[in-house]
């Protein structure tokens, strides 16, 4: 992560406390206080191309994040070390995950993870499925989603409702405590 921060963000790695590691959660994601949603979107656009449905600034559009490095400072989370979002959460809506106590990734965390994964492998996440970013919501309560559009060679950010359920719509579970 030190080299990733230096090469991609041209910044130093922040000092963070690691949450206790849980078996099966092998990717740590380090979020820094400079990582606003729009900043991460711009970095993604520059590195590999990304589309969002609006010209509006993501910092204004997304009104809720379970964790926010800009407001609360740097932190680290763990997620499963896999290309596709968690199969364990397929056919589960955002609402069902929250009711079940499943903590999901925010949009900022998902963008940072994709940047790191691309830097490390030159590949992309979610080429077959979609990450439902249950840790973030817009003012209407909609949940951002991200996947890689193979035919268009870009990441796509779009919305799902709080109750949408699809086999390919999956949450990336995080460990943050």
């Amino acid at each position: 992560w030190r080299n990733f921060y230096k090469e991609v963000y041209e910044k130093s790695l922040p000092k963070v406390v690691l949450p206790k590691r849980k078996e099966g959660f092998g990717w740590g994601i380090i979020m820094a206080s400079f990582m606003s949603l729009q900043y991460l979107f711009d970095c993604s656009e520059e590195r590999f191309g990304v589309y969002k449905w609006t010209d509006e600034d993501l910092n204004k559009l997304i009104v809720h994040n379970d964790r926010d490095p800009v407001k609360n400072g740097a932190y680290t989370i763990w997620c499963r070390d896999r290309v596709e979002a968690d199969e364990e959460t397929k056919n589960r809506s955002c609402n069902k995950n929250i009711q079940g106590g499943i903590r999901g990734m925010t949009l900022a965390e998902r963008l940072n993870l994709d940047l790191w994964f691309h830097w490390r492998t030159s590949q992309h996440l979610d080429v077959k499925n979609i990450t439902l970013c249950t840790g973030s919501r817009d003012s209407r309560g909609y949940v951002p989603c991200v996947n890689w559009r193979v035919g268009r060679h870009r990441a796509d950010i779009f919305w799902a409702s709080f109750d949408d359920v699809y086999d390919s719509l999956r949450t990336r579970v995080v460990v943050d405590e």
Side-chain angles (χ1 to χ4, degrees):
W1 277 86
R2 186 171 282 110
N3 290 338
F4 166 67
Y5 264 68
K6 191 177 196 178
E7 291 177 29
V8 174
Y9 300 127
E10 298 178 351
K11 301 197 185 270
S12 297
L13 192 65
K15 292 184 183 193
V16 292
V17 175
L18 293 176
K20 187 175 180 177
R21 195 160 177 189
K22 184 177 175 183
E23 188 168 333
F25 289 74
W27 284 345
I29 303 169
I30 301 171
M31 301 298 293
S33 59
F34 64 84
M35 292 181 163
S36 73
L37 275 167
Q38 191 60 47
Y39 174 82
L40 290 166
F41 176 87
D42 294 341
C43 289
S44 300
E45 189 172 46
E46 183 179 315
R47 185 161 186 91
F48 48 69
V50 64
Y51 168 82
K52 60 181 172 143
W53 66 103
T54 179
D55 290 333
E56 194 171 343
D57 184 317
L58 286 173
N59 297 327
K60 294 175 183 166
L61 194 61
I62 304 292
V63 298
H64 170 83
N65 290 294
D66 288 349
R67 294 161 301 281
D68 189 330
V70 175
K71 292 179 182 174
N72 303 101
Y75 64 89
T76 302
I77 58 170
W78 293 102
C79 69
R80 290 186 173 98
D81 51 346
R82 42 175 90 146
V83 172
E84 298 298 329
D86 299 359
E87 173 138 358
E88 296 84 347
T89 63
K90 72 180 180 181
N91 294 316
R92 291 182 59 96
S93 68
C94 178
N95 199 25
K96 188 91 155 176
N97 284 330
I98 290 170
Q99 288 172 355
I102 294 173
R103 297 183 57 80
M105 203 172 264
T106 67
L107 179 56
E109 293 161 354
R110 172 58 178 73
L111 292 173
N112 189 27
L113 179 63
D114 206 7
L115 284 160
W116 170 79
F117 188 74
H118 184 264
W119 169 81
R120 189 171 152 239
T121 67
S122 298
Q123 302 295 313
H124 293 280
L125 301 170
D126 296 310
V127 294
K128 296 178 184 169
N129 294 297
I130 302 160
T131 293
L132 179 65
C133 299
T134 59
S136 299
R137 278 175 277 320
D138 75 0
S139 61
R140 301 166 300 162
Y142 285 96
V143 183
C145 304
V146 183
N147 73 329
W148 181 254
R149 296 290 299 263
V150 175
R152 295 195 175 152
H153 307 289
R154 70 175 192 216
D156 275 0
I157 300 172
F158 54 98
W159 294 110
S161 81
F162 215 59
D163 293 312
D164 280 351
V165 175
Y166 305 104
D167 182 60
S168 62
L169 193 59
R170 302 167 181 196
T171 298
R172 285 183 183 271
V173 178
V174 301
V175 175
D176 63 349
E177 300 175 342

